[in-house]
Each structure stands twice: as structure tokens, then as C-alpha cells.
Amino acid sequence: MSLPLIKKQFIKHGLAVATASIMASTAYAGTSEQQEIQQLRAEVAELRSLIQQQAATQKQIVAEQKARPAVVTPPPAPVLAQAPAKPAPANAKPGWFTLPDGQTQVKLYGNVRVDAAYDLKGTTGGINNKTGLVPLNKDNPTEDSLNVSAAPTRIGLDIARQTDFGELTGKIEADFWGDGTSNGDGKLRIRHAYVSLGKWLAGQTTSPFVNTDTTPDLIDFTGPMGGGTQRNVQVRYTQPIDANQKVLVALEGGDFENKDKDGRFSGGNRFPALTARYDIKTSDSKGLLQVHGLAHENRVSTNDSNDEEKWGWGLGVGGKYQFTPKDAIMANYYHVKGDSRYILYSNQNNAAYYANGNGTTVDFDINNNEFDTAQIGYQRNWTPKLRSAFSLAGMWFKDDNTYAENNQSYNKTLYNAIANIIYTPVKNVDLGAEYTYGQRETFAGDKGDLSRINLLTRYNF
């Protein structure tokens, strides 16, 4: 007990004694003075004993506290400095993955696709449309033929990385179409393999001469007549003019001489092909107009003293306009001379040129082909899950030249009409059906008809 508490107890007992004394004096006035003195002495002795007892207790508590070891409160643990988190790469994008270098971003994409084609008439033994190769009606061709394939399945990788010169991008994409047989041979085929930095691109990708942006979305793996998907190794430069205009110019390698149809003569081109494209879109991005250009060398040679060169060229224009959120129209036109590589269907039974001469001692005379092609299309989104596309196209080869006179079995005209419907029951899954009617006519006047149904199952990722 502390000293202040002892003092309080002493005062309390003192007051009690005084009070008792007064009361005793009043109540017992007859009591002898000797008895009162004895009683007071007893009270004082009791108080002295209590004070001594409390003092001894206090000393014992102090002694025990001194005997105990001091409790040392440990200092707070030092806060360890944490390594700063690695900053996200400057080109971080949703859905992309960062490689261990911390800067390169990659994104995987592609689709798993199965096609089926049932030829009611004019079968060519494959899932892809070959209007220019259907059997002639005079030959009583086989009808009712089913073909299926998963070779159009596609896988790709987009790549992006920031550099001191801007963003470096790249693409690697392949399918399983292999050597391009009727249903694909299942071997990996490179579609795109390029890198791009700033205004420059190097590698294999779609040529500026073809029109992948202004054609309808068809199920047929070949694509619409009058369009193109040609992908060549190239060096390309893109020059923006303003926010809505740009120009692309490319030098492209590849088999541009196309060879004589019979494979008799081929000298190999000496120069890369020159291709170009001018793009202009409306300020609201609803409309797009593209102008295309092509020039390349056709060459026939068996030795250095026996060769012939003649230039092939082409011009094209295409457009697309989204006139409502659900409706879009598109159209394309090309005029081409001395080429059968870029425009779809132009090499089906037709070559880039015809060469006179025996290829040994007689000088060659190259006779280039020449044709026009036109295509119109319409796309309609019926609902968020249901859409359709329609295409009507034709190709007309010039028939009053040496090329036509010497190749009566070649195609003079090609037509096809296509309509489809594609249903997306769940996100990224497409189920589609498409009908195609086509016809070809040779320079000799013989015709062949095509009637087929294409079915599609595709999962995009």
C-alpha cells in the first residue's frame, strides 16, 4: 500500500477516534476519566500497529520489484527496403503476355476450322471453289461429290516491343493447307512472317495490290472472284498523308514470271515486282476507297542468247461503305495484263502469257494474257448472332489476241454468285452454310457449270 493511502487510513481512523470520544463523552458522562484515557491509548496503539504493517508491506513490494530482471522492450524491427516492382512494359496491352525480357509482348490467336463442300454439279474434288476448272458440260462430268477438310485451321502470334525508334511489331501466322492440294495435305504453310518498325515492313504478308479490305466475308476458302489474297515476301514502305489517307509501296519477290501454262519456258524474273496502294477513308470511318497498282517482268529464257522479256501490269480500284450499322456494300474492279498470280481465279486454266518458239534456237515471242474482273458484294447483320454475305462476280479475258487464238481451251469468261448465312450461337463459334453457282466458258465456246453447298464449323481464339 502506498504512503498516500496510509495517510488516508490514518486520518480516517483519527476521525473515527475523535468521533467516538465525543459520542462516548456525551453518552456516558458518568464514566470515569481513567476509562476514557485507556480507551484512547488502545485506539492509538491499534493505529500505530496498522501503520507499521502497511510500511513493511510497501518495503517488501519495492524489494521484490528490484529483484526482478529488467524487462527490455525490443526496438521495432527495421523495415526492409523492398525492391521496386518492375514497371509494366510501355506497350502493355490487354490479353497480351510479357516474355521474360520484360519488354516483348506476344498474343496468340487463330481458329480451329472444319469445312465440308458438297458439289451438286461440276465437282473439282476439293473444298475450295474452282469455277475456272470445273469439267465441261459436254464431257458428262460426275455429280454429287462430298469433300471435307480441317486444313484451313489457322494459328498465329502477334509480337510487339518498344524500341528507341518506336514500336517494333511482328506477325507469324500459318495454316495447314500445305502445298495447296484440293483439300490441303495437312502440312504447315506460312501465311504471314514479317516485322514492322515505323513506316517500314519486311517479310511475307498480303500484297498491296490485292483487296482484302473491300470484299465480303465468304465461307468458301478460296474467296470471292475478283478479289485477291496474295501474300509475298516484300519490303514495304507506308507513308501517311493525313489521318484518313496513306500510300503503300512494296518491292515483292516470288514467281512473278508465272511460267508458260505448259511449263515449257521460264527464265526467272530479274527484278522484284512493284506494287502500290492508295487508301482514303471517310472521316466517320464508314467509307473506304483503295486504288491498286502492279508492274512486274515476265521472262522466257533457255540460255543467255535466247530470252525474251515483257512487262506485266495491273490497275485496280475497290470500295466499301457501311451505310447502316447492319448493312455494308462493297465493289472491286481490276484490269490486268500479263499476270495470273494476284487475282483469284485468274490462274484456273489460264496462264500469264503464251510463248511462241521451240525454246532452243528460235527467238521467243511472249503473248500476255489480258482480262477484266468485277465484283460486287453486300453484307447484312440480321441480329448480333446472325449475319449474311452476298457476292456476284465475273472475269472476262480478251479474246482477240494471239494468246486467245493459240489457247482455245483457256477460259474466256468466268462467273459466280454466292450467298451465305453464318450463325454465332456462342462467342467465337461460327456455324455457316453457303451456296455457290458458277460457270466458265472457254475461247472455243464450251461451258461448264458449278453448283455447290459449303458448310463451316469454326472456333476462333
Side-chain angles (χ1 to χ4, degrees), residues 42 56 63 82 102 112 135 140 176 220 233 269 276 321 343 352 357 365 406-407 452:
Q82 297 181 352
V112 179
N140 189 28
F176 298 87
D220 179 66
V233 175
N269 53 297
Y321 188 72
I343 303 303
D365 182 17
N406 288 277
N407 298 280
R452 63 163 23 198

PDB file of all heavy atoms in Angstrom, residues 42 56 63 82 102 112 135 140 176 220 233 269 276 321 343 352 357 365 406-407 452:
ATOM      1  N   ALA A  42      -5.639   2.589  23.639  1.00  0.00           N
ATOM      2  CA  ALA A  42      -5.807   1.362  22.836  1.00  0.00           C
ATOM      3  C   ALA A  42      -6.010   1.681  21.368  1.00  0.00           C
ATOM      4  O   ALA A  42      -5.486   1.007  20.468  1.00  0.00           O
ATOM      5  CB  ALA A  42      -6.997   0.546  23.396  1.00  0.00           C
ATOM      6  N   ALA A  56       5.752  -2.061   6.277  1.00  0.00           N
ATOM      7  CA  ALA A  56       6.507  -3.291   5.995  1.00  0.00           C
ATOM      8  C   ALA A  56       6.086  -3.898   4.659  1.00  0.00           C
ATOM      9  O   ALA A  56       6.911  -4.394   3.876  1.00  0.00           O
ATOM     10  CB  ALA A  56       6.292  -4.294   7.129  1.00  0.00           C
ATOM     11  N   ALA A  63      11.218  -4.220  -2.647  1.00  0.00           N
ATOM     12  CA  ALA A  63      12.335  -5.150  -2.718  1.00  0.00           C
ATOM     13  C   ALA A  63      12.119  -6.202  -3.818  1.00  0.00           C
ATOM     14  O   ALA A  63      13.043  -6.577  -4.552  1.00  0.00           O
ATOM     15  CB  ALA A  63      12.531  -5.841  -1.364  1.00  0.00           C
ATOM     16  N   GLN A  82      12.173  -2.714 -49.881  1.00  0.00           N
ATOM     17  CA  GLN A  82      11.680  -3.616 -50.930  1.00  0.00           C
ATOM     18  C   GLN A  82      12.151  -3.143 -52.303  1.00  0.00           C
ATOM     19  O   GLN A  82      12.172  -1.946 -52.588  1.00  0.00           O
ATOM     20  CB  GLN A  82      10.158  -3.662 -50.911  1.00  0.00           C
ATOM     21  CG  GLN A  82       9.602  -4.233 -49.612  1.00  0.00           C
ATOM     22  CD  GLN A  82       8.085  -4.278 -49.644  1.00  0.00           C
ATOM     23  OE1 GLN A  82       7.479  -3.760 -50.552  1.00  0.00           O
ATOM     24  NE2 GLN A  82       7.498  -4.904 -48.644  1.00  0.00           N
ATOM     25  N   GLY A 102      10.814  -8.875 -70.152  1.00  0.00           N
ATOM     26  CA  GLY A 102      10.075  -7.795 -69.526  1.00  0.00           C
ATOM     27  C   GLY A 102       9.584  -6.721 -70.472  1.00  0.00           C
ATOM     28  O   GLY A 102       8.908  -5.789 -70.043  1.00  0.00           O
ATOM     29  N   VAL A 112      -9.851 -22.963 -85.024  1.00  0.00           N
ATOM     30  CA  VAL A 112      -9.972 -24.386 -85.365  1.00  0.00           C
ATOM     31  C   VAL A 112     -11.158 -24.480 -86.313  1.00  0.00           C
ATOM     32  O   VAL A 112     -12.276 -24.089 -85.970  1.00  0.00           O
ATOM     33  CB  VAL A 112     -10.204 -25.247 -84.111  1.00  0.00           C
ATOM     34  CG1 VAL A 112     -10.353 -26.711 -84.501  1.00  0.00           C
ATOM     35  CG2 VAL A 112      -9.056 -25.064 -83.121  1.00  0.00           C
ATOM     36  N   PRO A 135     -15.404 -29.342-114.761  1.00  0.00           N
ATOM     37  CA  PRO A 135     -15.479 -30.096-116.030  1.00  0.00           C
ATOM     38  C   PRO A 135     -16.489 -29.458-116.986  1.00  0.00           C
ATOM     39  O   PRO A 135     -17.488 -28.862-116.558  1.00  0.00           O
ATOM     40  CB  PRO A 135     -15.946 -31.482-115.579  1.00  0.00           C
ATOM     41  CG  PRO A 135     -15.570 -31.572-114.138  1.00  0.00           C
ATOM     42  CD  PRO A 135     -15.712 -30.195-113.597  1.00  0.00           C
ATOM     43  N   ASN A 140     -20.007 -34.790-119.819  1.00  0.00           N
ATOM     44  CA  ASN A 140     -20.860 -35.554-118.909  1.00  0.00           C
ATOM     45  C   ASN A 140     -20.145 -35.813-117.570  1.00  0.00           C
ATOM     46  O   ASN A 140     -19.915 -36.960-117.167  1.00  0.00           O
ATOM     47  CB  ASN A 140     -21.266 -36.890-119.551  1.00  0.00           C
ATOM     48  CG  ASN A 140     -22.329 -37.615-118.728  1.00  0.00           C
ATOM     49  OD1 ASN A 140     -23.120 -36.985-118.023  1.00  0.00           O
ATOM     50  ND2 ASN A 140     -22.335 -38.937-118.803  1.00  0.00           N
ATOM     51  N   PHE A 176      -2.680 -25.125 -92.353  1.00  0.00           N
ATOM     52  CA  PHE A 176      -2.254 -26.493 -92.660  1.00  0.00           C
ATOM     53  C   PHE A 176      -2.610 -26.868 -94.102  1.00  0.00           C
ATOM     54  O   PHE A 176      -2.827 -28.032 -94.405  1.00  0.00           O
ATOM     55  CB  PHE A 176      -2.878 -27.469 -91.657  1.00  0.00           C
ATOM     56  CG  PHE A 176      -2.452 -27.204 -90.239  1.00  0.00           C
ATOM     57  CD1 PHE A 176      -3.136 -26.296 -89.448  1.00  0.00           C
ATOM     58  CD2 PHE A 176      -1.341 -27.836 -89.705  1.00  0.00           C
ATOM     59  CE1 PHE A 176      -2.736 -26.035 -88.147  1.00  0.00           C
ATOM     60  CE2 PHE A 176      -0.932 -27.585 -88.408  1.00  0.00           C
ATOM     61  CZ  PHE A 176      -1.626 -26.687 -87.625  1.00  0.00           C
ATOM     62  N   ASP A 220     -16.419 -19.876 -98.423  1.00  0.00           N
ATOM     63  CA  ASP A 220     -15.512 -20.549 -99.354  1.00  0.00           C
ATOM     64  C   ASP A 220     -14.072 -20.152 -99.083  1.00  0.00           C
ATOM     65  O   ASP A 220     -13.739 -18.960 -99.001  1.00  0.00           O
ATOM     66  CB  ASP A 220     -15.890 -20.197-100.787  1.00  0.00           C
ATOM     67  CG  ASP A 220     -14.965 -20.860-101.791  1.00  0.00           C
ATOM     68  OD1 ASP A 220     -14.989 -22.094-101.889  1.00  0.00           O
ATOM     69  OD2 ASP A 220     -14.203 -20.125-102.440  1.00  0.00           O
ATOM     70  N   VAL A 233       6.788 -12.306-100.132  1.00  0.00           N
ATOM     71  CA  VAL A 233       7.901 -11.708 -99.402  1.00  0.00           C
ATOM     72  C   VAL A 233       8.145 -10.326 -99.992  1.00  0.00           C
ATOM     73  O   VAL A 233       8.235 -10.174-101.216  1.00  0.00           O
ATOM     74  CB  VAL A 233       9.160 -12.583 -99.496  1.00  0.00           C
ATOM     75  CG1 VAL A 233      10.340 -11.889 -98.830  1.00  0.00           C
ATOM     76  CG2 VAL A 233       8.907 -13.950 -98.856  1.00  0.00           C
ATOM     77  N   ASN A 269      12.331 -14.056-113.314  1.00  0.00           N
ATOM     78  CA  ASN A 269      12.354 -12.608-113.436  1.00  0.00           C
ATOM     79  C   ASN A 269      13.650 -12.029-112.868  1.00  0.00           C
ATOM     80  O   ASN A 269      14.234 -12.539-111.927  1.00  0.00           O
ATOM     81  CB  ASN A 269      11.140 -11.999-112.731  1.00  0.00           C
ATOM     82  CG  ASN A 269      11.020 -12.463-111.304  1.00  0.00           C
ATOM     83  OD1 ASN A 269      10.829 -13.645-111.046  1.00  0.00           O
ATOM     84  ND2 ASN A 269      11.145 -11.542-110.366  1.00  0.00           N
ATOM     85  N   ALA A 276       1.652  -1.131-105.380  1.00  0.00           N
ATOM     86  CA  ALA A 276       1.321   0.087-104.643  1.00  0.00           C
ATOM     87  C   ALA A 276      -0.173   0.113-104.342  1.00  0.00           C
ATOM     88  O   ALA A 276      -0.983  -0.525-105.027  1.00  0.00           O
ATOM     89  CB  ALA A 276       1.724   1.325-105.440  1.00  0.00           C
ATOM     90  N   TYR A 321     -18.629   0.628 -98.139  1.00  0.00           N
ATOM     91  CA  TYR A 321     -19.339   1.670 -97.388  1.00  0.00           C
ATOM     92  C   TYR A 321     -20.340   1.026 -96.434  1.00  0.00           C
ATOM     93  O   TYR A 321     -21.159   0.192 -96.837  1.00  0.00           O
ATOM     94  CB  TYR A 321     -20.068   2.627 -98.325  1.00  0.00           C
ATOM     95  CG  TYR A 321     -20.643   3.816 -97.597  1.00  0.00           C
ATOM     96  CD1 TYR A 321     -19.806   4.816 -97.104  1.00  0.00           C
ATOM     97  CD2 TYR A 321     -22.015   3.922 -97.361  1.00  0.00           C
ATOM     98  CE1 TYR A 321     -20.324   5.901 -96.416  1.00  0.00           C
ATOM     99  CE2 TYR A 321     -22.535   5.005 -96.678  1.00  0.00           C
ATOM    100  CZ  TYR A 321     -21.686   5.987 -96.201  1.00  0.00           C
ATOM    101  OH  TYR A 321     -22.195   7.057 -95.514  1.00  0.00           O
ATOM    102  N   ILE A 343      -4.786 -12.096-108.792  1.00  0.00           N
ATOM    103  CA  ILE A 343      -6.246 -12.058-108.716  1.00  0.00           C
ATOM    104  C   ILE A 343      -6.796 -13.476-108.705  1.00  0.00           C
ATOM    105  O   ILE A 343      -6.469 -14.298-109.578  1.00  0.00           O
ATOM    106  CB  ILE A 343      -6.844 -11.265-109.895  1.00  0.00           C
ATOM    107  CG1 ILE A 343      -6.252  -9.855-109.912  1.00  0.00           C
ATOM    108  CG2 ILE A 343      -8.356 -11.196-109.784  1.00  0.00           C
ATOM    109  CD1 ILE A 343      -6.461  -9.072-108.632  1.00  0.00           C
ATOM    110  N   ALA A 352      -0.188 -16.663-117.390  1.00  0.00           N
ATOM    111  CA  ALA A 352       0.113 -15.240-117.522  1.00  0.00           C
ATOM    112  C   ALA A 352       0.406 -14.865-118.963  1.00  0.00           C
ATOM    113  O   ALA A 352       0.116 -13.755-119.388  1.00  0.00           O
ATOM    114  CB  ALA A 352       1.300 -14.875-116.632  1.00  0.00           C
ATOM    115  N   GLY A 357       7.593 -20.307-130.038  1.00  0.00           N
ATOM    116  CA  GLY A 357       9.002 -20.671-130.188  1.00  0.00           C
ATOM    117  C   GLY A 357       9.246 -22.034-129.579  1.00  0.00           C
ATOM    118  O   GLY A 357       8.545 -22.478-128.678  1.00  0.00           O
ATOM    119  N   ASP A 365       8.449 -15.322-128.565  1.00  0.00           N
ATOM    120  CA  ASP A 365       7.519 -14.219-128.697  1.00  0.00           C
ATOM    121  C   ASP A 365       6.500 -14.373-127.572  1.00  0.00           C
ATOM    122  O   ASP A 365       5.688 -15.310-127.586  1.00  0.00           O
ATOM    123  CB  ASP A 365       6.830 -14.245-130.060  1.00  0.00           C
ATOM    124  CG  ASP A 365       5.878 -13.074-130.238  1.00  0.00           C
ATOM    125  OD1 ASP A 365       6.008 -12.108-129.464  1.00  0.00           O
ATOM    126  OD2 ASP A 365       5.019 -13.149-131.128  1.00  0.00           O
ATOM    127  N   ASN A 406      -4.260 -18.998-129.761  1.00  0.00           N
ATOM    128  CA  ASN A 406      -3.437 -20.197-129.607  1.00  0.00           C
ATOM    129  C   ASN A 406      -3.827 -21.058-128.403  1.00  0.00           C
ATOM    130  O   ASN A 406      -3.185 -22.072-128.145  1.00  0.00           O
ATOM    131  CB  ASN A 406      -1.969 -19.802-129.483  1.00  0.00           C
ATOM    132  CG  ASN A 406      -1.384 -19.324-130.791  1.00  0.00           C
ATOM    133  OD1 ASN A 406      -0.957 -20.109-131.635  1.00  0.00           O
ATOM    134  ND2 ASN A 406      -1.378 -18.004-130.985  1.00  0.00           N
ATOM    135  N   ASN A 407      -4.868 -20.645-127.686  1.00  0.00           N
ATOM    136  CA  ASN A 407      -5.251 -21.384-126.473  1.00  0.00           C
ATOM    137  C   ASN A 407      -6.771 -21.452-126.368  1.00  0.00           C
ATOM    138  O   ASN A 407      -7.383 -20.886-125.459  1.00  0.00           O
ATOM    139  CB  ASN A 407      -4.675 -20.699-125.226  1.00  0.00           C
ATOM    140  CG  ASN A 407      -3.167 -20.672-125.221  1.00  0.00           C
ATOM    141  OD1 ASN A 407      -2.501 -21.646-124.890  1.00  0.00           O
ATOM    142  ND2 ASN A 407      -2.608 -19.513-125.599  1.00  0.00           N
ATOM    143  N   ARG A 452     -22.797 -25.854-105.763  1.00  0.00           N
ATOM    144  CA  ARG A 452     -22.254 -26.489-104.557  1.00  0.00           C
ATOM    145  C   ARG A 452     -22.763 -25.826-103.288  1.00  0.00           C
ATOM    146  O   ARG A 452     -23.184 -24.676-103.272  1.00  0.00           O
ATOM    147  CB  ARG A 452     -20.732 -26.457-104.575  1.00  0.00           C
ATOM    148  CG  ARG A 452     -20.127 -25.084-104.545  1.00  0.00           C
ATOM    149  CD  ARG A 452     -18.651 -25.042-104.154  1.00  0.00           C
ATOM    150  NE  ARG A 452     -17.916 -26.247-104.367  1.00  0.00           N
ATOM    151  CZ  ARG A 452     -16.747 -26.511-103.783  1.00  0.00           C
ATOM    152  NH1 ARG A 452     -16.221 -25.636-102.936  1.00  0.00           N
ATOM    153  NH2 ARG A 452     -16.094 -27.624-104.034  1.00  0.00           N
TER     154      ARG A 452
END
